[in-house]
């Protein structure tokens, strides 16, 4: 058996290592265009920023190890230029001397990844307009950033854009992030990341939202970024981080089926429409776990699993890829944003019925020193309670909670299962009622009808005549800010002041984070009032409105 793998890094290198563990007799060839067959591309921004000081730390599996430990034939600085499926060969060009040759295969694995998107803009080929995909890019950016300071522009506020911005700030650079949308981290729902805008600004990052680069112009060796809005920014260098596109041209030219977004269509065993050709990693189109629809989400974890599965299938192992759900995490200085499954914006776009709740717990027991807050949003089917997605933003413990909910999605759990999940507890690590449990309690109450909720986007700036808003916090909390036209009736006084609440109007209760509002709604429901609680309370209202919070 001869296996040729086009591209290394996560998917290709994992496939090669797994194939060797399954077969000592097979010939395994990795053909890699870059200088390193297996490197930590997720670590590149942190090498630029100095958090990872040694470049060698980025080399996950150097060539010497792949050859010595796995007896792999690794050919770097070599590019496959053509796939001949009829003859089962690939054309290879040695990028060092320009020579070409053909290599035969029995099974072919395509792991060509995804390339940063470079729009057709004037001046985009300026040497100081950079991107960050591989070690060569990291070396160039590292050289530009180290030992000096100035101004840099990052175009795009996704994962890479935010990570690069943070790491350049660590190097002492002034950074402006230009983002076409009205929020950073576009996969998240806007209200979940609104607070991170001010957090970035507080660390010296300038945000230019609802704008984009229009052209680039040389300026004494630096770059002037001209914006669609008409403004301009002078910078020493620019980093493009506006998304990636699958590098599937090689496969498409060979007649391998590709999807509408360019990803190579694969089955659950990572096979293409040619049973002897597999595709893994960022170049592959796979299935969304939640929706069952084709998707493309470039993440290292799924790429590694896909490489293993392709190798398993080649050697007759019963192994399948369940699909991906977009479980991701990103650091924003000392804050963390994590998500899994479907976002609210995606559910709306697809017309999928859903319900949502917000909770604002701390990562561990509040009486133990150092507890840090988070906001957790849970999305679920309104009838069955099936978990559809979750997002969390905060300090410590955010990743842990999203990991638990990601597991729940894989298992096909409902919100009632989240109520019952048993997680480790000690006061310095969590709560006896973990934030995951709390989200399950609240969501299950919604599904059962015990806890009718209303959401901040349904709350008008002026209270409609058919509505009556009750703030059940203390007078001191109320005085610091409240919903428009709300009446302050502290929870402890509610039972004695029922005659102040109209029975011919819909009642909305709320508190700071939702718990006291829920308790108030239970009191009123049992006394015949038409009542709903504001999910997540006043804190969610503030997060939703950002800087435009009406305070009476």
């Amino acid at each position: 058996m001869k296996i040729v793998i086009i591209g290394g890094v996560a998917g290709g290198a994992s496939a090669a290592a797994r194939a060797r563990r399954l077969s000592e007799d097979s010939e395994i060839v990795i053909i890699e265009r870059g200088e390193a067959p297996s490197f930590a591309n997720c670590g590149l921004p942190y090498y630029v920023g100095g958090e990872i000081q040694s470049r060698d730390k980025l080399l996950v599996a150097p060539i010497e190890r792949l050859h010595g430990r796995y007896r792999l034939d690794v050919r770097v600085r070599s590019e496959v230029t053509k796939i001949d499926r009829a003859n089962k060969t690939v054309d290879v060009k040695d990028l060092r001397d320009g020579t070409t040759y053909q290599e035969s295969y029995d099974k072919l694995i395509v792991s060509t990844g995804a390339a940063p998107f470079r729009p057709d803009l004037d001046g985009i080929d300026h040497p100081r307009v950079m991107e960050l995909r591989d070690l060569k890019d990291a070396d160039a950016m590292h050289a530009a950033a180290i030992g000096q300071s100035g101004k840099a522009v990052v175009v795009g506020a996704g994962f890479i854009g935010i990570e690069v911005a943070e790491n350049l700030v660590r190097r002492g650079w002034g950074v402006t992030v230009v983002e076409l949308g009205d929020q950073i981290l576009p996969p998240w729902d806007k209200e979940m990341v609104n607070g991170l805008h001010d957090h970035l600004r507080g660390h010296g990052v300038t945000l230019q939202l609802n704008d984009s680069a229009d052209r680039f112009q040389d300026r004494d060796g630096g770059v002037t970024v001209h914006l669609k809005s008409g403004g301009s920014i002078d910078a020493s260098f620019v980093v493009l981080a506006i998304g990636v596109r699958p590098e599937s041209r090689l496969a498409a030219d060979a007649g391998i089926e590709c999807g509408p977004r360019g990803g190579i269509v694969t089955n659950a065993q990572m096979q293409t429409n040619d049973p002897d050709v597999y595709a893994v990693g960022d170049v592959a189109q796979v299935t969304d776990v939640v929706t069952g629809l084709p998707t493309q989400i470039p993440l290292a974890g799924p790429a590694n699993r896909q490489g293993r599965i392709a190798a398993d299938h080649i050697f007759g192992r019963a192994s399948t890829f369940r699909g991906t759900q977009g479980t991701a995490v990103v650091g924003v200085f000392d804050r963390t944003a994590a998500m899994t499954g479907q976002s609210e914006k995606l559910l709306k776009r697809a017309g999928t019925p859903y319900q949502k709740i917000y909770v604002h717990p701390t990562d561990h027991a509040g009486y133990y020193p150092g507890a840090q807050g988070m906001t957790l949003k849970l999305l679920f089917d309104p009838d069955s309670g099936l978990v559809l997605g979750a997002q969390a933003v905060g300090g410590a413990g955010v990743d842990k909670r999203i990991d638990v909910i990601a597991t729940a999605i894989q298992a096909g759990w409902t919100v009632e299962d989240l109520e019952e999940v048993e997680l480790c507890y000690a006061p310095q690590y969590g709560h006896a009622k973990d934030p995951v449990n709390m989200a399950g309690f609240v969501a299950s109450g919604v599904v059962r009808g015990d806890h009718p909720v209303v959401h901040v986007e349904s709350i008008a700036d002026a209270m409609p005549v058919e509505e009556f808003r009750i703030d059940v916090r203390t007078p001191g909390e109320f005085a610091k800010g409240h919903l428009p036209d709300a009446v302050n009736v502290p929870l402890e006084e509610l039972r004695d002041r029922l005659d102040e609440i109209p029975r011919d109007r819909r009642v909305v209760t709320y508190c700071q984070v939702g718990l006291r509002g829920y308790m108030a709604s239970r009191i009123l429901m049992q006394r015949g009032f038409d009542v709903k609680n504001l999910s997540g309370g006043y804190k969610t209202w503030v997060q939703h409105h950002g800087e435009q919070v009406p305070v009476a």
Side-chain angles (χ1 to χ4, degrees), residues 14 30 36 45 64 84 107 141 179 195 204 206 275 386 427 475 480 487:
S14 293
I30 299 177
E64 295 78 11
D84 184 343
K107 301 290 183 180
M141 199 176 300
E179 167 57 42
T206 300
L386 184 72
K480 292 177 181 178
V487 175

Side-chain angles (χ1 to χ4, degrees), residues 41-49 51 132 141 154 156-170 175 177 185 200 239 241 329-333 337:
N41 51 3
C42 296
L44 298 180
Y46 302 95
Y47 170 62
V48 170
E51 286 293 294
L132 190 58
M141 199 176 300
V154 178
F159 293 94
I160 297 298
I162 294 302
E163 290 172 347
V164 168
E166 176 182 353
N167 280 282
L168 290 177
V169 168
R170 283 203 184 100
V175 179
V177 176
L185 300 175
L200 282 165
V239 181
V329 64
V330 62
V332 186
F333 292 98

Side-chain angles (χ1 to χ4, degrees), residues 132-191:
L132 190 58
R133 184 193 185 189
D134 55 26
L135 288 169
K136 178 173 60 69
D137 296 333
D139 288 338
M141 199 176 300
H142 185 272
I146 194 170
Q148 55 185 317
S149 63
K151 293 183 179 180
V153 172
V154 178
V155 183
F159 293 94
I160 297 298
I162 294 302
E163 290 172 347
V164 168
E166 176 182 353
N167 280 282
L168 290 177
V169 168
R170 283 203 184 100
R171 287 286 192 193
W173 286 75
V175 179
T176 297
V177 176
V178 179
E179 167 57 42
L180 179 63
D182 61 355
Q183 67 171 87
I184 66 166
L185 300 175
W188 275 255
D189 293 322
K190 186 184 177 186
E191 80 279 8

Side-chain angles (χ1 to χ4, degrees), residues 188-252:
W188 275 255
D189 293 322
K190 186 184 177 186
E191 80 279 8
M192 294 299 293
V193 297
N194 270 341
L196 294 178
H197 294 165
D198 284 341
H199 191 65
L200 282 165
R201 294 182 182 113
H203 282 82
V205 177
T206 300
L207 291 182
Q208 189 84 17
L209 301 176
N210 295 303
D211 210 345
S212 61
D214 186 58
R215 60 188 176 90
F216 305 95
Q217 182 179 7
D218 181 76
R219 184 191 62 83
D220 298 327
V223 187
T224 297
V225 183
H226 295 274
L227 304 173
K228 285 282 180 66
S229 62
S232 63
I233 308 169
D234 293 333
S236 295
F237 64 91
V238 176
V239 181
L240 291 178
I242 51 179
V244 296
R245 301 291 185 272
E247 287 210 76
S248 56
R249 179 195 55 79
L250 187 67

